[in-house]
Amino acid sequence: DAGVIQSPRHEVTEMGQEVTLRCKPISGHDYLFWYRQTMMRGLELLIYFNNNVPIDDSGMPEDRFSAKMPNASFSTLKIQPSEPRDSAVYFCASREGPGTYEQYFGPGTRLTVT
Amino acid sequence: ILNVEQSPQSLHVQEGDSTNFTCSFPSSNFYALHWYRWETAKSPEALFVMTLNGDEKKKGRISATLNTKEGYSYLYIKGSQPEDSATYLCAFNTGNQFYFGTGTSLTVIP
Protein backbone atom coordinates (compact mmCIF):
# COMPACT_ATOMS: atom_id res chain seq x y z
CA ASP A 1 0.00 0.00 0.00
CA ALA A 2 1.23 3.52 -0.75
CA GLY A 3 0.29 4.76 2.69
CA VAL A 4 -1.80 7.82 3.41
CA ILE A 5 -1.66 10.21 0.49
CA GLN A 6 -2.12 13.95 0.83
CA SER A 7 -2.21 16.68 -1.77
CA PRO A 8 -0.97 19.21 -2.37
CA ARG A 9 2.26 18.95 -0.39
CA HIS A 10 2.66 22.72 -0.35
CA GLU A 11 0.07 25.41 -0.82
CA VAL A 12 0.64 29.15 -0.88
CA THR A 13 -2.42 31.33 -1.15
CA GLU A 14 -3.56 34.84 -0.47
CA MET A 15 -5.78 35.80 2.41
CA GLY A 16 -9.42 35.42 1.54
CA GLN A 17 -8.96 32.61 -0.95
CA GLU A 18 -10.51 29.18 -0.61
CA VAL A 19 -8.12 26.34 0.14
CA THR A 20 -8.90 22.63 -0.27
CA LEU A 21 -6.65 19.95 1.16
CA ARG A 22 -7.07 16.35 0.08
CA CYS A 23 -6.44 13.00 1.71
CA LYS A 24 -6.60 9.40 0.59
CA PRO A 25 -6.48 7.01 3.56
CA ILE A 26 -4.95 3.55 3.52
CA SER A 27 -7.34 1.11 1.90
CA GLY A 28 -9.43 -0.75 4.47
CA HIS A 29 -8.94 1.82 7.21
CA ASP A 30 -12.21 2.84 8.83
CA TYR A 31 -10.97 5.91 10.67
CA LEU A 32 -9.64 9.14 9.20
CA PHE A 33 -8.23 12.04 11.19
CA TRP A 34 -7.29 15.60 10.27
CA TYR A 35 -4.63 17.30 12.42
CA ARG A 36 -3.02 20.72 12.37
CA GLN A 37 0.53 21.24 13.54
CA THR A 38 1.62 24.63 14.82
CA MET A 39 4.58 25.75 16.87
CA MET A 40 2.32 27.00 19.63
CA ARG A 41 -0.03 24.04 20.03
CA GLY A 42 1.82 21.09 18.55
CA LEU A 43 -0.36 18.48 16.87
CA GLU A 44 -4.04 19.18 17.44
CA LEU A 45 -6.96 17.11 16.24
CA LEU A 46 -9.41 19.01 14.03
CA ILE A 47 -11.94 16.31 13.13
CA TYR A 48 -12.19 12.58 12.71
CA PHE A 49 -14.42 10.27 10.70
CA ASN A 50 -15.49 6.69 11.25
CA ASN A 51 -16.88 4.88 8.21
CA ASN A 52 -17.12 8.23 6.40
CA VAL A 53 -19.23 9.78 9.16
CA PRO A 54 -17.85 12.77 11.12
CA ILE A 55 -17.67 11.71 14.77
CA ASP A 56 -16.00 14.61 16.54
CA ASP A 57 -15.44 18.02 14.97
CA SER A 58 -14.94 19.90 18.21
CA GLY A 59 -11.39 20.74 17.19
CA MET A 60 -12.42 22.62 14.06
CA PRO A 61 -11.39 26.22 14.80
CA GLU A 62 -14.39 28.01 13.35
CA ASP A 63 -16.99 28.02 10.62
CA ARG A 64 -14.39 28.82 8.00
CA PHE A 65 -13.21 25.21 8.30
CA SER A 66 -15.18 22.30 6.91
CA ALA A 67 -14.37 18.68 6.20
CA LYS A 68 -16.06 16.00 4.17
CA MET A 69 -15.58 12.34 3.48
CA PRO A 70 -17.80 11.43 0.52
CA ASN A 71 -16.45 7.88 0.34
CA ALA A 72 -14.03 5.52 2.08
CA SER A 73 -11.08 6.56 -0.06
CA PHE A 74 -11.26 10.33 -0.05
CA SER A 75 -11.56 13.25 2.33
CA THR A 76 -11.22 17.00 2.00
CA LEU A 77 -10.51 19.79 4.45
CA LYS A 78 -11.63 23.17 3.19
CA ILE A 79 -10.84 26.63 4.52
CA GLN A 80 -12.97 29.47 3.20
CA PRO A 81 -11.96 32.25 3.48
CA SER A 82 -8.36 31.57 4.47
CA GLU A 83 -6.47 33.82 6.89
CA PRO A 84 -2.74 34.18 7.66
CA ARG A 85 -3.24 32.51 11.07
CA ASP A 86 -4.31 29.34 9.24
CA SER A 87 -0.72 28.87 8.08
CA ALA A 88 0.40 25.49 9.43
CA VAL A 89 1.11 21.93 8.40
CA TYR A 90 -2.07 19.87 8.05
CA PHE A 91 -1.76 16.12 8.53
CA CYS A 92 -4.19 13.42 7.62
CA ALA A 93 -3.99 10.04 9.37
CA SER A 94 -5.92 6.79 9.12
CA ARG A 95 -6.50 3.75 11.31
CA GLU A 96 -7.85 0.32 10.57
CA GLY A 97 -10.03 0.27 13.66
CA PRO A 98 -10.49 1.49 17.22
CA GLY A 99 -8.59 0.31 20.24
CA THR A 100 -4.89 -0.31 19.85
CA TYR A 101 -4.79 -0.02 16.09
CA GLU A 102 -2.02 2.33 15.09
CA GLN A 103 -2.50 5.63 13.31
CA TYR A 104 -0.61 6.12 10.08
CA PHE A 105 0.15 9.66 9.02
CA GLY A 106 0.34 11.20 5.59
CA PRO A 107 3.23 13.46 4.58
CA GLY A 108 1.30 16.61 5.43
CA THR A 109 0.34 19.72 3.52
CA ARG A 110 2.26 22.88 4.37
CA LEU A 111 -0.15 25.78 3.99
CA THR A 112 1.03 29.37 3.82
CA VAL A 113 -1.54 32.14 3.70
CA THR A 114 -0.10 35.54 2.87
CA ILE B 1 -9.60 18.21 26.17
CA LEU B 2 -7.17 15.77 27.81
CA ASN B 3 -3.80 17.09 28.90
CA VAL B 4 -0.76 15.14 27.72
CA GLU B 5 2.56 16.63 28.76
CA GLN B 6 6.05 15.77 27.64
CA SER B 7 9.31 16.80 29.22
CA PRO B 8 11.78 18.11 28.56
CA GLN B 9 10.69 20.18 25.59
CA SER B 10 14.12 19.82 24.01
CA LEU B 11 17.31 17.96 24.75
CA HIS B 12 20.87 18.08 23.41
CA VAL B 13 23.11 15.10 24.13
CA GLN B 14 26.51 13.93 22.98
CA GLU B 15 26.81 10.92 20.72
CA GLY B 16 27.07 7.81 22.85
CA ASP B 17 25.15 9.25 25.80
CA SER B 18 22.02 7.54 27.01
CA THR B 19 18.95 9.66 27.57
CA ASN B 20 15.32 9.48 28.59
CA PHE B 21 12.24 11.62 28.53
CA THR B 22 8.78 11.58 30.01
CA CYS B 23 5.18 11.56 28.89
CA SER B 24 2.50 12.33 31.50
CA PHE B 25 -1.15 11.61 30.88
CA PRO B 26 -4.47 11.31 32.72
CA SER B 27 -4.99 8.10 34.66
CA SER B 28 -8.66 7.87 33.64
CA ASN B 29 -10.09 6.86 30.24
CA PHE B 30 -6.83 5.13 29.43
CA TYR B 31 -6.80 2.65 26.58
CA ALA B 32 -3.24 2.77 25.23
CA LEU B 33 -0.15 4.91 25.06
CA HIS B 34 1.70 5.37 21.78
CA TRP B 35 5.18 6.70 21.04
CA TYR B 36 6.10 8.20 17.69
CA ARG B 37 9.35 9.34 16.14
CA TRP B 38 9.01 12.46 14.02
CA GLU B 39 11.81 13.67 11.81
CA THR B 40 11.79 17.16 10.38
CA ALA B 41 9.82 17.49 7.13
CA LYS B 42 8.46 13.96 7.49
CA SER B 43 5.37 12.47 9.10
CA PRO B 44 5.31 10.81 12.54
CA GLU B 45 6.26 7.14 12.53
CA ALA B 46 4.97 4.72 15.14
CA LEU B 47 7.51 3.32 17.60
CA PHE B 48 5.53 1.58 20.32
CA VAL B 49 2.03 1.00 21.58
CA MET B 50 1.56 -0.05 25.20
CA THR B 51 -1.63 -1.00 26.97
CA LEU B 52 -0.89 -2.66 30.30
CA ASN B 53 0.52 -1.16 33.46
CA GLY B 54 4.14 -2.23 33.70
CA ASP B 55 4.48 -2.83 29.95
CA GLU B 56 7.97 -2.51 28.57
CA LYS B 57 8.74 -2.39 24.87
CA LYS B 58 12.09 -2.37 23.11
CA LYS B 59 13.23 -1.73 19.57
CA GLY B 60 16.98 -1.76 19.13
CA ARG B 61 18.48 0.92 21.37
CA ILE B 62 15.09 2.47 22.16
CA SER B 63 12.82 1.22 24.90
CA ALA B 64 9.74 2.45 26.72
CA THR B 65 7.94 1.76 29.97
CA LEU B 66 4.40 2.42 31.09
CA ASN B 67 2.83 3.24 34.46
CA THR B 68 -0.92 3.69 34.04
CA LYS B 69 -1.64 4.07 37.76
CA GLU B 70 0.45 7.20 38.08
CA GLY B 71 0.00 8.27 34.48
CA TYR B 72 3.44 8.36 32.94
CA SER B 73 5.62 6.66 30.35
CA TYR B 74 9.36 6.89 29.87
CA LEU B 75 11.22 6.59 26.58
CA TYR B 76 14.88 5.58 26.82
CA ILE B 77 17.56 5.77 24.17
CA LYS B 78 20.77 3.93 24.90
CA GLY B 79 24.00 5.11 23.28
CA SER B 80 22.42 7.96 21.28
CA GLN B 81 23.47 8.34 17.66
CA PRO B 82 23.09 11.40 15.39
CA GLU B 83 20.40 9.56 13.42
CA ASP B 84 18.30 9.47 16.61
CA SER B 85 17.84 13.24 16.30
CA ALA B 86 14.10 13.80 15.94
CA THR B 87 11.04 14.84 17.89
CA TYR B 88 9.56 12.07 20.01
CA LEU B 89 5.80 12.31 20.44
CA CYS B 90 3.58 10.43 22.81
CA ALA B 91 -0.14 9.99 22.28
CA PHE B 92 -2.80 9.06 24.81
CA ASN B 93 -5.35 6.75 23.23
CA THR B 94 -8.88 6.65 24.69
CA GLY B 95 -9.90 3.89 22.31
CA ASN B 96 -11.21 6.22 19.64
CA GLN B 97 -9.16 9.39 19.82
CA PHE B 98 -5.49 10.12 20.22
CA TYR B 99 -4.35 13.09 22.29
CA PHE B 100 -0.81 14.11 21.47
CA GLY B 101 1.81 15.75 23.62
CA THR B 102 3.89 18.56 22.15
CA GLY B 103 6.93 16.33 21.86
CA THR B 104 10.52 16.23 23.04
CA SER B 105 13.00 17.45 20.45
CA LEU B 106 16.23 15.45 20.68
CA THR B 107 19.47 16.59 19.09
CA VAL B 108 22.43 14.22 19.22
CA ILE B 109 25.72 16.03 18.73
CA PRO B 110 28.41 14.00 16.93
Side-chain angles (χ1 to χ4, degrees), chain B residues 40-65:
Chain B
T40 304
K42 294 186 178 180
S43 51
E45 291 184 4
L47 281 174
F48 304 116
V49 55
M50 295 180 288
T51 57
L52 298 176
N53 185 44
D55 260 356
E56 291 189 26
K57 293 287 176 81
K58 187 176 181 182
K59 186 182 290 187
R61 294 179 291 98
I62 305 177
S63 60
T65 60

Side-chain angles (χ1 to χ4, degrees), chain A residues 18-22 34 46-47 49 54 57 59-69 75-81 86 90:
Chain A
E18 177 180 297
V19 175
T20 300
L21 311 181
R22 297 173 178 80
W34 282 102
L46 300 176
I47 185 171
F49 296 83
D57 64 354
M60 296 285 263
E62 47 199 272
D63 292 346
R64 298 183 297 106
F65 285 69
S66 62
K68 293 182 180 179
M69 192 164 185
S75 176
T76 58
L77 178 68
K78 187 177 292 187
I79 309 173
Q80 166 64 18
D86 301 330
Y90 291 81

Side-chain angles (χ1 to χ4, degrees), chain A residues 31 33 35 37 41 43 45 48 56 91 95 98-103 105-107, chain B residues 31-32 34 36 38 42-44 46 48-49 51 89 93 95-98 100 102:
Chain A
Y31 286 78
F33 302 80
Y35 293 91
Q37 182 215 358
R41 296 186 178 183
L43 201 60
L45 178 68
Y48 81 93
D56 185 348
F91 285 97
R95 284 173 87 186
T100 57
Y101 282 101
E102 196 54 81
Q103 278 196 21
F105 285 82
Chain B
Y31 197 95
H34 300 248
Y36 289 83
W38 194 0
K42 294 186 178 180
S43 51
F48 304 116
V49 55
T51 57
L89 276 181
N93 178 358
N96 284 314
Q97 278 185 243
F98 283 35
F100 285 87
T102 52

Side-chain angles (χ1 to χ4, degrees), chain B residues 51-84:
Chain B
T51 57
L52 298 176
N53 185 44
D55 260 356
E56 291 189 26
K57 293 287 176 81
K58 187 176 181 182
K59 186 182 290 187
R61 294 179 291 98
I62 305 177
S63 60
T65 60
L66 178 68
N67 183 323
T68 58
K69 292 183 179 178
E70 296 181 40
Y72 64 84
S73 174
Y74 292 138
L75 188 79
Y76 300 91
I77 302 179
K78 184 178 178 182
S80 304
Q81 299 297 308
E83 58 264 31
D84 296 328

